[in-house]
Amino acid sequence: MSLNSPIEPDAARPESVEPVTLSDRVNAVINPTADPSPDAAAATAAKSAEKTGMPQSRKQNSATFTQPETIGLFGSRKDSFSQRYHLTRRGKLKRLAQIAQIVNQFDIVHGLTPIKMRLMFEALGPTFVKVGQILSMRSEILPQSFCDELSKLRADADPMPYGTVLQVLEDEYGRPVDEIFEHIDATPLGSASLAQVHRAKLSTGEDVAVKVQRPGVRETMAQDVSIMRTIARIAAKTMRSAQVVDLSGVVEELWDTFESETDFLIEARNLAEFKRFCERYKYMDCPKPYPELCTEHVVVMDYVEGISVSHPDELIEAGYDLKEIGTKLVDNYATQVLDEGFFHADPHPGNIMVRGGQIVLLDLGMTGRLNAKTRSVLKDMIFAVAEQDSPALADGLLRFAGAEADSEDYPALLADLDVIVKEFGTVDLAELDIAAMLTALTQMAQRHGIEVPSTVTTVGRALVTLEGLLDEFIPDVNMIQIISDHIAASTSKKDFAKDEAKSLVIEGHQALHSLLSAANELKVASRMLTRGQLRVNMEMVGSQEPIHLLANMVNRLTMALIVVGLFIGSSIVYYAGIKPVIFGIPIVGFLGYVIAFILSVWIVFDIYFKGRSNKKR
């Protein structure tokens, strides 16, 4: 069997209610709990829910948690992180005690092996499972052996009770579940630490999968992140000079990931967008979402029944060609990353199935986006590695990070890149270890103070995941070769000329604005010059060392003059015979001789040892 080839009413009049006095309205604003007409408010909310098509419970939830913006004499009252997620000091201390107990069980004081760290993260719960999954791609933080082990983390968890699933659905929709679903399987298709998936059938007959978020999981993650923030602040204060990684930045990155993954409306939008992308390719597909049934904690999508790519034997028995599947999967992934800039960020085997001659991607909760500039730089860097062009790779890396090259560090940067190019650019593409190459580039960038954007890290993590899938299940497919061929095929002479023309127009526009800005600065400088207000700051490159040597010479000369002055002054005091006397010398003169002697010895030793250190250089 072969995969399909790609192709290019009138509003109802409100009921009358009893009039409300001004004092009642004022009291209702100042004290919302004392609502003078709760029945009328409930009726209004119900009608609003009917008009917008949103379940009444969701309307009530948004009314409950959405606070109006206010102003005051001392500024508005800010909604803190703890208030938003109902965090208390007692709850944080209780959770901290749980974490400490689990950490103590794994004897972290005496060291952790990669396996013990993975097991510890699994025991600590969903937050730390996600932390481990993210850290598995941060080789600048952990050794590679730990990253490899943490990459095995899966968010498998004990199933959520069926009654809890039904209760969550009723709370989200505000009506009985049997009004929406004809049937929901009691046995889940999968159960993770974040959510659980059940097969169901809508009352309209569609076969769907329902993804239900575990109650309180976002609050648990928020509590853990709040604890991490406190630890990061303490570490930043106590380890200012020794801190290599921005711990606060890492924690905030984790929380951004948690927020996006626990908002299932984002996943529903991703599914709809990726579904439109797949319409151009007959061999690609993804589940269709049902937006009217999707909420922040529930996603309803088409049920997909197929063969996972993790079962190559079943695919072969079904008549599929594994090499064709791998080639089209990688080529389409290159299209997502390099052409569209919207890609599946977690292409592990459990998220890829084959059904009816189509490759179906599941779980669009984690996606990545790249702008046009980043996609262009990615292509340039791939070609730079293939052509062993270190300067081009350095320029691309600096453009990637949004930094400018430092004239003093640039030679060292080129030298480090030469090592990477010689190590990875000379091997055959079939033998290229993309994970090791990305790790080497990331570590090298960190040494030179280049902060690689999170989008680049996301691309690297996705490519490494995809490479691992191919190595394990479809080893005959060369991912790097397919991506290189994709870039070469997608860059025709016409497209190249068009891109170059567009680039020239953009650069010309920027150059014109820079020229006008320079002319304006020149006008200001000339005006200051005529008024005698212009000051010039000059710095001679390479002048620091001579100036430092000159300063040392002046300091030694000054100390020598002080020593001579002390000897002469002490001698005058000696011949004057001023009392009191010690060892036949006036005590003032004796102290002068001692100080002069000590300073003389210090000068001699300083000259000797600094002279030896200069010779070693």
Side-chain angles (χ1 to χ4, degrees), residues 54 103 105 175 207 288 306 329 365 394 400 419 545 547 553:
M54 182 181 292
V103 168
Q105 289 176 356
R175 49 181 168 157
D207 198 10
K288 181 189 75 174
L329 174 62
F400 233 165
V419 176
E545 187 67 22
I547 292 175
M553 292 172 60

Side-chain angles (χ1 to χ4, degrees), residues 312-337:
D313 294 338
E314 296 182 17
L315 290 172
I316 294 174
E317 290 178 4
Y320 290 105
D321 183 356
L322 294 182
K323 189 169 185 180
E324 183 187 4
I325 293 174
T327 301
K328 289 188 174 180
L329 174 62
V330 174
D331 185 74
N332 188 269
Y333 204 81
T335 302
Q336 297 174 36
V337 174

Side-chain angles (χ1 to χ4, degrees), residues 4 36 40 52 63 113 132 144 149 172 178 201 322 324 342 383 395 401 428 467 490 510 512 523 564 606 614:
N4 294 316
T52 57
T113 63
Q144 189 60 42
E149 185 64 31
E172 288 296 308
D178 53 12
K201 188 174 184 179
L322 294 182
E324 183 187 4
F342 174 66
F383 278 126
D395 293 341
D428 184 66
E467 184 191 36
S490 63
Q510 293 175 345
L512 178 61
K523 177 182 177 182
V564 171
D606 183 63
N614 290 333

Side-chain angles (χ1 to χ4, degrees), residues 136-397:
S136 67
M137 292 307 303
R138 301 297 295 270
S139 56
E140 75 275 15
I141 300 178
L142 291 176
Q144 189 60 42
S145 59
F146 284 81
C147 294
D148 294 339
E149 185 64 31
L150 291 180
S151 64
K152 302 176 184 177
L153 275 171
R154 288 290 176 262
D156 299 332
D158 294 332
M160 187 167 44
Y162 183 62
T164 304
V165 174
L166 297 179
Q167 185 63 47
V168 171
L169 292 174
E170 287 190 3
D171 292 342
E172 288 296 308
Y173 295 129
R175 49 181 168 157
V177 176
D178 53 12
E179 293 184 9
I180 303 172
F181 301 97
E182 180 181 319
H183 172 72
I184 300 177
D185 287 352
T187 304
L189 297 172
S191 182
S193 58
L194 183 63
Q196 189 163 294
V197 181
H198 288 257
R199 185 176 182 177
K201 188 174 184 179
L202 296 178
S203 57
T204 52
E206 291 89 348
D207 198 10
V208 298
V210 183
K211 185 176 180 179
V212 181
Q213 188 174 130
R214 290 179 180 269
V217 69
R218 177 177 281 195
E219 287 72 18
T220 301
M221 288 183 166
Q223 192 172 57
D224 290 343
V225 167
S226 179
I227 294 172
M228 292 179 188
R229 283 173 174 167
T230 303
I231 295 174
R233 282 196 299 268
I234 295 173
K237 292 179 180 178
T238 57
M239 300 185 301
R240 291 182 181 273
S241 59
Q243 187 175 346
V244 178
V245 180
D246 181 11
L247 295 178
S248 297
V250 172
V251 173
E252 296 308 318
E253 181 183 342
L254 292 173
W255 176 242
D256 290 340
T257 303
F258 295 158
E259 271 198 315
S260 62
E261 288 194 32
T262 52
D263 186 353
F264 285 176
L265 289 174
I266 295 178
E267 181 174 353
R269 288 194 293 268
N270 292 338
L271 283 168
E273 184 175 353
F274 201 78
K275 187 73 174 178
R276 291 191 294 269
F277 165 76
C278 291
E279 290 175 355
R280 288 173 287 165
Y281 305 90
K282 285 188 176 181
Y283 65 88
M284 290 295 298
D285 199 8
C286 76
K288 181 189 75 174
Y290 292 79
E292 68 278 4
L293 297 177
C294 295
T295 71
E296 189 175 353
H297 304 106
V298 176
V299 177
V300 179
M301 68 195 94
D302 281 336
Y303 173 73
V304 177
E305 187 171 11
I307 304 173
S308 172
V309 293
S310 60
H311 301 107
D313 294 338
E314 296 182 17
L315 290 172
I316 294 174
E317 290 178 4
Y320 290 105
D321 183 356
L322 294 182
K323 189 169 185 180
E324 183 187 4
I325 293 174
T327 301
K328 289 188 174 180
L329 174 62
V330 174
D331 185 74
N332 188 269
Y333 204 81
T335 302
Q336 297 174 36
V337 174
L338 299 176
D339 299 339
E340 297 296 323
F342 174 66
F343 60 95
H344 195 299
D346 191 22
H348 67 78
N351 287 338
I352 305 175
M353 301 187 75
V354 178
R355 177 199 62 180
Q358 289 182 313
I359 301 172
V360 184
L361 297 184
L362 309 175
D363 193 0
L364 270 292
M366 289 181 62
T367 59
R369 296 183 184 272
L370 299 174
N371 56 34
K373 178 182 177 182
T374 304
R375 298 198 301 270
S376 175
V377 175
L378 257 176
K379 295 178 182 179
D380 293 342
M381 291 183 68
I382 292 174
F383 278 126
V385 173
E387 296 175 4
Q388 302 184 37
D389 189 348
S390 297
L393 186 59
D395 293 341
L397 187 63

Side-chain angles (χ1 to χ4, degrees), residues 489-544:
S490 63
T491 311
S492 63
K493 293 183 178 179
K494 183 178 179 180
D495 294 335
F496 180 77
K498 189 185 297 183
D499 292 341
E500 284 295 314
K502 187 184 296 184
S503 179
L504 285 174
V505 170
I506 295 174
E507 291 177 0
H509 180 265
Q510 293 175 345
L512 178 61
H513 277 274
S514 298
L515 184 61
L516 293 175
S517 178
N520 186 50
E521 295 291 339
L522 184 62
K523 177 182 177 182
V524 174
S526 62
R527 183 182 302 168
M528 294 177 65
L529 181 63
T530 55
R531 295 180 179 181
Q533 298 174 331
L534 188 65
R535 295 181 180 180
V536 179
N537 294 327
M538 295 182 62
E539 180 179 355
M540 297 177 62
V541 179
S543 62
Q544 289 81 3

Side-chain angles (χ1 to χ4, degrees), residues 471-489:
D471 289 343
E472 185 173 358
F473 301 110
I474 315 177
D476 294 335
V477 175
N478 185 347
M479 185 176 74
I480 301 299
Q481 183 66 60
I482 296 172
I483 294 176
S484 300
D485 293 343
H486 176 89
I487 296 174

